[in-house]
């Protein structure tokens, strides 16, 4: 089984998006379940995007949702969490700190993450460079908060290792638009394997990028299985017993199915 914890629903304004091939891309790489945020919600209008995603998820059995939160629209965020988390189709929160111009260390994002902690779900937060250290600090300061450092700091993966050591409720996922040699292997060698997840950034980026990066890391079988799905099941408290399982092909290699 493979669970993609960093995925999207809907088209992007970038030319490399694969939105039209969402399910076919999942089939190609053996991704059984994707946890998605609405592109519209991330880059433009969080309430409108969340509403559209909620309607679409009612027709899906291989996707779950993130409620996208704009920390600068706190009342909207509170309302959307109350509306969508109880449906069972949404299992976490997405915050993009750059598009909302709300750094992890800002008062607005701290307040939003405190609200997420009270809701009892994980938050996927965009990190780049040293900002992953700011997220670790907020996580450490917020009781009960569980966060996923999206892109595990991207070019700041060394900071991600430091961040993971600073807070044991911070998780890392590797998707990145570049592929520096040894990046995933270096992080996997230094971080508790139970806090590593798999994410692709689809539909913005073809899943091949993340699969290749993880496969190149040469993870042992136990760690690969934790990354592929076991850690996600535990973090999101998923019931996967009734979900369809897609057979994995060669592209997975270092990310193995059950």
């Amino acid at each position: 089984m493979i669970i993609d914890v960093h995925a999207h629903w809907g088209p992007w304004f970038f030319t490399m998006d694969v939105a039209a091939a969402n399910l076919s891309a999942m089939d190609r790489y053996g991704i059984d379940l994707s946890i998605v945020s609405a592109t519209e919600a991330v880059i433009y209008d969080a309430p409108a995007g969340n509403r559209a995603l909620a309607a679409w998820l009612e027709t899906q059995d291989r996707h779950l949702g993130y409620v996208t939160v704009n920390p600068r629209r706190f009342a909207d965020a509170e309302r959307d969490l109350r509306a969508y988390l109880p449906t069972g189709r949404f299992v976490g929160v997405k915050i993009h700190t750059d598009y909302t111009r709300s750094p992890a260390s800002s008062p607005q994002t701290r307040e939003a993450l405190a609200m997420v902690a009270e809701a009892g779900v994980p938050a996927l937060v965009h990190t780049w460079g040293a900002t992953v250290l700011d997220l670790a600090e907020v996580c450490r300061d917020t009781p009960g908060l569980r966060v996923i450092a999206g892109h595990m700091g991207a070019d700041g993966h060394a900071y991600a290792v430091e961040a993971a050591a600073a807070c044991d409720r911070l998780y890392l996922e590797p998707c990145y638009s570049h592929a520096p040699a040894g990046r995933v292997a270096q992080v996997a060698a230094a971080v508790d394997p139970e806090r590593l997840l798999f994410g692709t950034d689809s539909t913005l980026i073809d899943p091949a990028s993340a699969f290749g990066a993880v496969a190149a890391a040469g993870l042992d079988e136990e760690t690969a299985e934790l990354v592929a799905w076991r850690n996600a099941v535990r973090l999101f408290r998923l019931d996967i017993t009734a979900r369809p399982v897609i057979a994995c092909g060669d592209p997975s290699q270092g990310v193995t199915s059950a």
Side-chain angles (χ1 to χ4, degrees), residues 114-130:
M115 177 177 61
V116 174
E118 291 180 7
V121 296
L124 170 61
V125 181
H126 177 83
T127 64
W128 212 267

Side-chain angles (χ1 to χ4, degrees), residues 2-254:
I2 298 176
I3 299 175
D4 182 355
V5 305
H6 189 158
H8 307 279
W9 169 70
W12 289 84
F13 53 86
F14 298 105
T15 57
M16 64 277 213
D17 94 58
V18 292
N22 179 270
L23 281 171
S24 62
M26 289 175 66
D27 289 344
R28 180 182 179 190
Y29 294 102
I31 298 171
D32 302 279
L33 178 66
S34 287
I35 307 178
V36 301
S37 55
T39 304
E40 179 184 11
V42 172
I43 66 175
Y44 179 60
D45 186 328
N50 288 333
R51 184 167 58 250
L53 178 59
W56 181 76
L57 286 173
E58 290 180 1
T59 68
Q60 304 301 307
D61 61 4
R62 292 174 58 194
H63 295 81
L64 292 169
Y66 288 109
V67 179
T68 298
V69 163
N70 183 338
R72 296 183 179 278
R73 298 178 65 177
F74 196 81
D76 289 342
E78 284 187 309
R79 184 185 63 245
D80 283 359
L81 290 184
R82 288 196 304 268
Y84 301 123
L85 288 180
T87 67
R89 301 299 302 167
F90 288 81
V91 293
V93 167
K94 171 68 179 285
I95 297 178
H96 199 298
T97 52
D98 285 359
Y99 287 136
T100 61
R101 302 191 186 279
S102 305
S105 58
S106 68
Q108 294 91 344
T109 298
R110 281 182 170 269
E111 186 176 10
L113 287 172
M115 177 177 61
V116 174
E118 291 180 7
V121 296
L124 170 61
V125 181
H126 177 83
T127 64
W128 212 267
T131 64
V132 67
L133 295 174
D134 297 330
L135 181 61
E137 181 179 353
V138 176
C139 187
R140 191 174 59 242
D141 292 345
T142 308
L145 178 63
R146 295 169 293 146
V147 294
I148 304 167
H151 314 290
M152 62 184 195
D155 59 354
H157 62 277
Y159 296 119
V161 172
E162 185 178 343
C167 181
D168 63 5
R169 289 174 280 114
L170 183 142
Y171 296 74
L172 304 175
E173 66 82 17
C175 67
Y176 184 28
S177 50
H178 299 273
R183 174 174 172 264
V184 174
Q186 291 167 23
V187 172
V191 174
D192 177 356
E194 293 194 350
R195 287 195 282 138
L196 302 175
L197 302 162
F198 181 68
T200 68
D201 216 6
S202 176
T203 54
L204 175 56
I205 299 174
D206 190 289
S209 176
F211 271 91
V214 175
L219 304 178
D220 63 78
E221 184 175 351
E222 181 179 357
T223 300
E225 191 169 88
L226 289 171
V227 173
W229 66 278
R230 288 193 181 277
N231 290 339
V233 167
R234 182 168 55 250
L235 175 62
F236 289 95
R237 298 166 184 165
L238 302 178
D239 178 5
I240 60 171
T241 56
R243 293 191 174 276
V245 177
I246 307 303
C248 250
D250 290 341
S252 69
Q253 294 187 25

